[in-house]
């Protein structure tokens, strides 16, 4: 029997993917608007649901949506590799990334709709726990797929939809519990509920007005009042609202109570001791070592007890040059009694091509606290940089436990998880970016402070220099265009234990397991799946009497209904 093709009005068929394109432009990328990813996913679900993604007739419309997401992502990241002068030859990379993002991003939607088309006719999936289960398929598969992507991708978690929520502080705080996987899950789940609500309370209600009295606004049968409370408790929309409310309450309380300021405490009772830190802004365009050394001395004289340089401030051509530079840095650190972190590119070949991106920290006695080699060079940019060991350095000081990471390292949350495991108090981060991505990178990397319960001192060239504490409160922010200095007072707060730093990617792994189960249920013969559902339903929901099979073959003992809607 040929596949049934559901016709779509020509205007909707053209306009909806274009709206998805616009939302994608303002989603993950250089132009973040928090509601954009919600709308993009919800609109995509609606478009694909009406088309029927598995029918031959829907191939071209699916490709059209795929193209719109690709173009939208390409536009969103168009300035990713651009310097001050625009170069059209660099435009291919963002759109190639868009191809990958579109493909990976549509897979969870296709799996969700495959689940929906298979189990939608069953009455048990109209509402209650089974319907709630159905709404969790897309977010779980999304988290599972992108967890794998982030683990193997050369750009880490760059591009996660979690970073679009930067302006919503309670949502950012949720990363202290489940990491960016928890935020991604919430965004996709919100989109599924948004689309489901549109189907149930607008289109379905208008089309089936005659049946209005046979179902309540919560989806429970009006003639079964004894089951109303139970079904309401596990209905998708109320459950989603309760979870979302909890996330917002938790996030708000964590943010405002982080410094102990909750409930009108006097400011004097909440102030923390601080350490003055300085940042020397270098430029990769020229090797102005004398200027950087003089600026370091001036910052030390001004009271900075920790001074670091921005990423790759100078370059070392040979061993003798490096030894002389280290001797000078040691002299400054011992003379002024400061912790001095210098950055440099150490060339390892005579042609001065391949190099190590280094960050060396000297203590007040001139000893090397650590000499760290950047572990995660920027793909497509630092092609000649040799990656260092995947080990984050730490050192104990009178200011707490200090750690070190360089710029793009912070986009790899699994790498920075070492800071939480080692209970780092302050993470020193030299950085260098370019053109328009500096603000976005500073935004992305601030999530690591919340996840791992530490403060971040970011010294950035051509990007914001910032200080974030474990509660995402900012203590310093300044743009520097390749020169100058930056000073800030870093609160001496001990490492804050977070759920995420304790359990790691547990939530992501739970989503992976659920995604695998969902796939198994989709590909397993339906008669076996129905038997499994009947058994689970009879045991967990404690239904009386043997299960009876409804006319549509659901096998559910719940009251039957002829309504079919999106689960």
């Amino acid at each position: 029997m040929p596949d049934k093709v559901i016709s779509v009005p020509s205007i909707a068929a053209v306009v909806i993917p274009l709206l998805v394109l616009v939302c994608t432009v303002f989603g993950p990328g250089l132009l973040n608007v928090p509601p954009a990813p919600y709308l993009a996913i919800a609109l995509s679900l609606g478009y694909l649901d009406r088309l029927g993604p598995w029918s031959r007739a829907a191939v071209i419309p699916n490709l059209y949506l795929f193209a719109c997401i690709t173009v939208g992502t390409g536009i969103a990241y168009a300035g990713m590799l651009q310097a001050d002068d625009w170069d059209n030859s660099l435009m291919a990379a963002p759109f190639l990334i868009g191809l990958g993002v579109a493909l990976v991003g549509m897979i969870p939607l296709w799996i969700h709709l495959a689940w929906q088309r298979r189990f939608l006719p069953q009455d048990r999936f109209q509402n209650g726990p089974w319907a709630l289960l159905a709404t969790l398929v897309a977010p779980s598969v999304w988290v599972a797929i992108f967890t794998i992507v982030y683990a193997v991708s050369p750009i880490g978690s760059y591009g996660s939809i979690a970073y679009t929520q930067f302006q919503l502080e309670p949502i950012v705080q949720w990363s202290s519990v489940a990491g960016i996987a928890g935020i991604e899950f919430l965004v996709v789940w919100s989109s599924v509920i948004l689309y489901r609500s549109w189907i149930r309370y607008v289109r379905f209600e208008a089309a089936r007005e005659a049946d209005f009295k046979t179902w309540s606004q919560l989806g429970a049968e009006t003639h079964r009042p004894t089951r109303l409370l139970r079904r309401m408790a596990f209905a998708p929309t109320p459950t989603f609202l309760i979870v979302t409310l909890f996330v917002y309450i938790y996030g708000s309380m964590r943010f405002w109570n982080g410094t102990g300021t909750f409930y009108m405490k006097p400011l004097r009772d909440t102030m923390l001791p601080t350490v003055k830190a300085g940042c020397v802004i270098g430029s990769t365009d020229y090797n102005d070592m004398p200027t950087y050394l003089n600026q370091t001395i001036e910052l030390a004289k001004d009271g900075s007890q920790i001074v670091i340089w921005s990423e790759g401030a100078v370059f070392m051509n040979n061993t003798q040059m490096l030894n002389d530079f280290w001797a000078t840095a040691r002299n400054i650190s011992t003379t002024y009694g400061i912790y001095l972190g210098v950055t440099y590119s150490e060339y390892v070949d005579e042609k001065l091509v391949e190099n190590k991106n280094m960050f060396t920290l000297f203590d007040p006695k001139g000893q090397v606290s650590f000499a760290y080699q950047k572990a995660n060079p920027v793909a497509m940019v630092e092609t000649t940089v040799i990656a260092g060991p995947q080990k984050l350095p730490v050192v104990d000081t009178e200011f707490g436990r200090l750690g070190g990471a360089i710029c793009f390292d912070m986009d790899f949350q699994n790498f920075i998880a070492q800071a939480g495991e080692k209970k780092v108090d302050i993470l020193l981060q030299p950085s260098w970016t370019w053109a328009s991505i500096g603000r976005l990178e500073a935004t992305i990397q601030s999530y690591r402070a919340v996840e791992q319960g530490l403060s971040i001192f970011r010294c950035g060239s051509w990007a914001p220099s910032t200080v974030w504490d474990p509660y995402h409160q900012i203590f310093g922010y300044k743009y520097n265009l390749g020169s100058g200095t930056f000073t800030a007072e870093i609160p001496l707060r001990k490492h804050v234990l977070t759920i995420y730093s304790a359990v790691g990617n547990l939530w992501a792994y739970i989503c992976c397991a659920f995604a695998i189960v969902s796939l198994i249920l989709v590909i397993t013969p339906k008669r076996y799946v129905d038997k499994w559902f009947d058994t689970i339903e009879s045991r967990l929901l404690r239904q009386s009497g043997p299960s009876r099979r409804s006319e549509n073959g659901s096998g559910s003992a719940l009251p039957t209904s002829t309504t079919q809607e999106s689960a």
Side-chain angles (χ1 to χ4, degrees):
M1 182 177 179
D3 293 333
K4 181 179 178 181
V5 179
I6 301 176
S7 61
V8 178
S10 59
I11 295 179
V14 174
V15 172
I16 292 178
L18 291 178
L19 291 176
V20 174
L21 187 155
V22 173
C23 291
T24 304
V25 170
F26 294 100
L30 305 181
L31 302 170
N32 298 149
V33 178
Y38 299 88
L39 294 175
I41 296 172
L43 288 170
S44 298
L45 274 175
Y47 182 78
L48 294 174
D49 185 26
R50 297 297 296 166
L51 287 173
W54 303 116
S55 62
R56 281 192 291 267
V59 171
I60 293 179
N62 270 265
L63 290 176
Y64 175 46
L65 178 62
F66 176 82
C68 287
I69 297 175
T70 299
V71 173
T73 305
I75 295 174
Y77 290 102
M80 180 177 66
L81 299 176
Q82 301 294 338
D84 293 338
D85 297 323
W86 195 271
D87 185 356
N88 290 329
S89 66
L90 299 175
M91 289 296 292
F95 287 92
L96 289 175
I97 292 175
L99 282 171
V101 170
L103 177 60
V104 175
M106 289 182 71
I107 290 175
L109 309 186
W110 286 329
I111 294 176
H112 169 84
L113 294 174
W115 171 286
Q116 174 178 285
R117 291 180 178 278
R118 184 168 205 191
F119 300 113
L120 178 62
Q122 300 184 12
D123 181 74
R124 59 163 58 97
F125 283 99
Q126 296 302 305
N127 209 62
W130 296 108
L132 174 63
L133 191 71
T135 64
L136 304 181
V137 172
S140 297
V141 175
W142 183 288
V143 170
I145 291 177
F146 278 95
T147 296
I148 297 172
V149 169
Y150 300 151
V152 301
S153 171
I155 59 175
S157 61
Y158 187 86
S160 169
I161 59 174
Y163 301 135
T164 65
Q165 306 303 295
F166 176 76
Q167 301 173 47
L168 303 179
E169 195 58 55
I171 301 296
V172 175
Q173 296 295 328
W174 190 241
S175 64
S176 69
V177 175
I180 60 174
I183 299 177
E184 290 183 342
F185 184 93
L186 189 63
V187 171
V188 180
W189 192 24
S190 301
S191 303
V192 172
I193 294 296
L194 178 63
Y195 170 65
R196 184 178 187 274
S197 299
W198 170 263
I199 292 295
R200 290 179 64 85
Y201 302 115
V202 181
R203 285 167 42 185
F204 177 75
E205 182 177 349
R208 301 299 299 272
E209 185 175 357
D211 296 332
F212 177 78
K213 294 183 179 180
T214 65
W215 59 283
S216 73
Q217 288 291 336
L218 293 172
E221 293 74 7
T222 57
H223 61 280
R224 301 298 292 268
T226 58
R227 293 187 177 180
L228 176 60
L229 183 60
R230 186 180 69 185
R231 291 180 65 94
M232 185 176 98
F234 293 101
T237 302
T239 303
F240 165 78
L241 293 176
I242 292 171
V243 171
T244 302
L245 180 62
F246 173 79
V247 169
Y248 270 83
I249 292 175
Y250 168 83
S252 300
M253 293 290 290
R254 187 178 191 275
F255 179 76
W256 285 113
N257 200 39
T259 56
T261 57
F262 187 70
Y263 201 66
M264 300 177 286
K265 285 187 177 180
L267 184 61
R268 65 176 180 272
D269 295 337
T270 63
M271 294 180 64
L272 294 171
T274 62
V275 57
K276 189 171 184 178
C279 164
V280 174
I281 310 299
S283 174
T284 57
D285 295 334
Y286 47 91
N287 195 32
D288 195 0
M289 187 187 301
T291 297
Y292 306 149
L293 293 173
N294 289 334
Q295 290 175 332
T296 300
I297 293 172
E298 291 301 317
L299 288 172
K301 289 180 178 179
D302 191 44
S304 292
Q305 295 174 282
I306 300 175
V307 179
I308 65 173
W309 293 9
S310 63
E311 179 184 8
V314 295
F315 52 84
M316 301 290 115
N317 294 345
N318 52 61
T319 303
Q320 183 60 48
M321 188 176 183
L322 177 62
N323 291 337
D324 293 343
F325 176 54
W326 273 32
T328 303
R330 279 195 175 98
N331 182 50
I332 294 175
S333 67
T334 54
T335 300
Y336 297 95
I338 63 173
Y339 285 89
L340 174 58
V342 293
T343 61
Y344 50 93
S345 296
E346 181 182 349
Y347 288 100
V348 298
D349 61 344
E350 295 180 355
K351 296 181 179 180
L352 303 182
V353 177
E354 292 189 340
N355 63 92
K356 300 176 182 178
N357 191 333
M358 300 296 297
F359 172 33
T360 300
L361 182 69
F362 296 92
D363 68 13
K365 295 181 180 180
Q367 301 299 314
V368 175
S369 297
F370 59 72
Y372 169 68
Q373 181 182 351
K374 188 175 185 179
N376 300 282
V378 182
M380 298 180 289
V381 176
E382 294 181 309
T383 56
T384 61
V385 175
I386 302 171
Q390 292 287 321
K391 183 178 180 180
L392 189 141
V394 297
V395 59
D396 290 319
T397 73
E398 62 269 34
F399 305 121
R401 180 165 293 179
L402 305 183
I406 300 177
C407 196
F408 201 55
D409 287 330
M410 301 288 282
D411 286 39
F412 295 78
Q413 72 270 25
N414 293 334
F415 174 74
I416 299 300
Q418 296 178 70
E421 294 169 358
K422 298 177 180 179
K423 294 180 170 53
V424 170
D425 301 314
I426 301 174
L427 186 63
L428 307 178
Q429 185 212 356
S431 178
W432 168 83
T433 50
W434 58 92
S436 58
I437 75 164
R439 181 190 62 83
L440 177 62
E441 279 295 286
T443 296
I444 291 173
Q445 293 161 4
S446 69
Y447 279 64
R448 306 291 91 86
V450 181
E451 292 171 353
Q452 302 302 333
L454 48 80
S455 297
I456 296 176
F457 177 38
R458 185 179 197 268
C459 178
S461 178
W462 296 93
S465 293
T466 59
V467 175
W468 297 94
D469 81 344
Y471 299 95
H472 212 236
Q473 300 198 30
I474 192 165
F475 287 80
Y477 194 101
K478 182 182 179 182
Y479 278 103
N480 290 90
L481 302 179
S483 63
T485 60
F486 165 69
T487 59
E489 298 285 342
I490 304 176
L492 293 178
R493 187 192 300 279
K494 285 295 184 180
H495 175 267
V496 176
L497 179 64
T498 66
I499 296 176
Y500 181 73
S501 66
V503 303
N505 292 317
L506 178 61
W507 177 251
Y509 299 146
I510 292 174
C511 289
C512 290
F514 186 85
I516 293 173
V517 172
S518 300
L519 286 173
I520 292 174
L521 293 177
V522 168
I523 64 177
T524 301
K526 190 172 183 297
R527 62 183 182 276
Y528 296 120
V529 177
D530 286 341
K531 290 181 180 179
W532 297 342
F533 284 161
D534 288 342
T535 302
I536 294 172
E537 191 172 77
S538 62
R539 291 182 179 180
L540 298 184
L541 301 184
R542 301 180 182 277
Q543 292 189 337
S544 60
S547 297
R548 59 185 177 83
R549 191 168 294 276
S550 63
E551 294 180 1
N552 55 27
S554 68
S556 173
L558 296 174
T560 59
S561 171
T562 58
T563 59
Q564 294 186 12
E565 56 179 288
S566 172

